[in-house]
Amino acid sequence: MASLTSRLEHAIKPDALRAYLAEFISTFLFVFAAVGSAVASKKMMPDATTDPSALVAVAVANAFALSVAVYIAANVSGGHVNPAVTFGMAVGGHISVPMAIFYWISQLLASVMACLLFKVTTVSQHIPTHGIQQEMTGFGASVLEGLMTFNLVYTFYAARDPRRGPLGTIGPLVIGLVSGANVLASGPFTGGSMNPAYSFGSALIGGRFKNQAVYWIGPLIGAGLAGVVYDNVVFAVQIADGIGV
């Protein structure tokens, strides 16, 4: 009970509050850029759904936006920018459960606000939502999203591992690059979300929640497995280096 109380107290300290704000800002900027790139590609390319260049443009935008979002928040909150990443870090014991919950709230709120602001500033432009191809099942889409998120979170773990040196600038860059690669690989099938907050915000403002569970179940399972595999199998030495430990 004392441990739980201390964790709750730690979750409302000034440093923790700054971390939540950093997560809000970074997630907001990432989702705004990601949604904007998707809208812009469809507006400039009428056949965006079948035009490979549209997929490349969205993947590049996601890679750049995520790299920047992680970089600007890394020294304050760890630069999660994604509830799945936060879940994976919590599974690995690098962030406390109370702090992880507040991270989720910040990320979800930021995503909703980013999508809403984009819709308002572009004069009610339709906000695209993530969806799966008709030939795919919900199970298959969940597995694909889970694999992509495993890749992302495993890379996140490796990028911030102090045994590899300080995070610096290369860490956020490789995280962004793997995100862009995953969008190229899974974009035509599931939209390449890997981020429950992004999917939730666009679904809420876009008004379409179909198959929303795919973008929570798959990524959370994949993220949790990435945390377990990295910390307990591949690199078994436990290091308490994350905020909230």
Side-chain angles (χ1 to χ4, degrees):
M1 187 66 180
S3 176
L4 176 60
T5 301
S6 65
R7 287 177 180 269
L8 288 173
E9 291 176 351
H10 181 73
I12 57 175
K13 287 184 176 180
D15 285 347
L17 297 179
R18 283 192 288 270
Y20 308 147
L21 178 59
E23 281 298 306
F24 178 89
I25 294 172
S26 286
T27 306
F28 179 94
L29 295 177
F30 166 71
V31 173
F32 192 88
V35 169
S37 66
V39 173
S41 66
K42 289 184 178 181
K43 189 174 183 63
M44 298 182 69
M45 305 172 191
D47 298 324
T49 54
T50 58
D51 190 341
S53 61
L55 176 61
V56 172
V58 171
V60 170
N62 274 261
F64 286 168
L66 185 58
S67 295
V68 172
V70 171
Y71 179 77
I72 63 178
N75 294 332
V76 182
S77 66
H80 295 185
V81 199
N82 185 337
V85 172
T86 299
F87 182 76
M89 299 306 291
V91 168
H94 297 281
I95 182 173
S96 66
V97 172
M99 286 194 71
I101 292 173
F102 284 115
Y103 268 48
W104 274 31
I105 293 172
S106 299
Q107 293 156 352
L108 290 169
L109 183 59
S111 178
V112 171
M113 293 301 294
C115 293
L116 179 61
L117 181 62
F118 191 88
K119 185 178 181 68
V120 171
T121 55
T122 55
V123 193
S124 299
Q125 187 74 40
H126 174 68
I127 300 298
T129 59
H130 291 114
I132 65 176
Q133 291 295 308
Q134 292 183 350
E135 63 269 19
M136 291 193 70
T137 64
F139 175 77
S142 295
V143 170
L144 183 57
E145 281 290 318
L147 287 172
M148 297 298 101
T149 309
F150 178 94
N151 192 5
L152 175 66
V153 176
Y154 191 90
T155 302
F156 189 92
Y157 260 88
R160 68 187 298 279
D161 192 333
R163 289 167 290 186
R164 297 175 181 269
L167 184 64
T169 56
I170 191 65
L173 180 60
V174 298
I175 292 169
L177 288 176
V178 76
S179 174
N182 285 344
V183 171
L184 286 174
S186 62
F189 307 105
T190 65
S193 171
M194 302 164 280
N195 189 327
Y198 178 14
S199 295
F200 175 79
S202 61
L204 182 63
I205 304 303
R208 185 176 182 272
F209 277 92
K210 186 177 181 180
N211 295 314
Q212 181 69 194
V214 166
Y215 302 100
W216 285 87
I217 296 173
L220 292 182
I221 293 176
L225 287 175
V228 171
V229 170
Y230 190 91
D231 265 352
N232 298 284
V233 180
V234 181
F235 296 98
V237 178
Q238 294 286 344
I239 297 178
D241 60 337
I243 185 169
V245 174

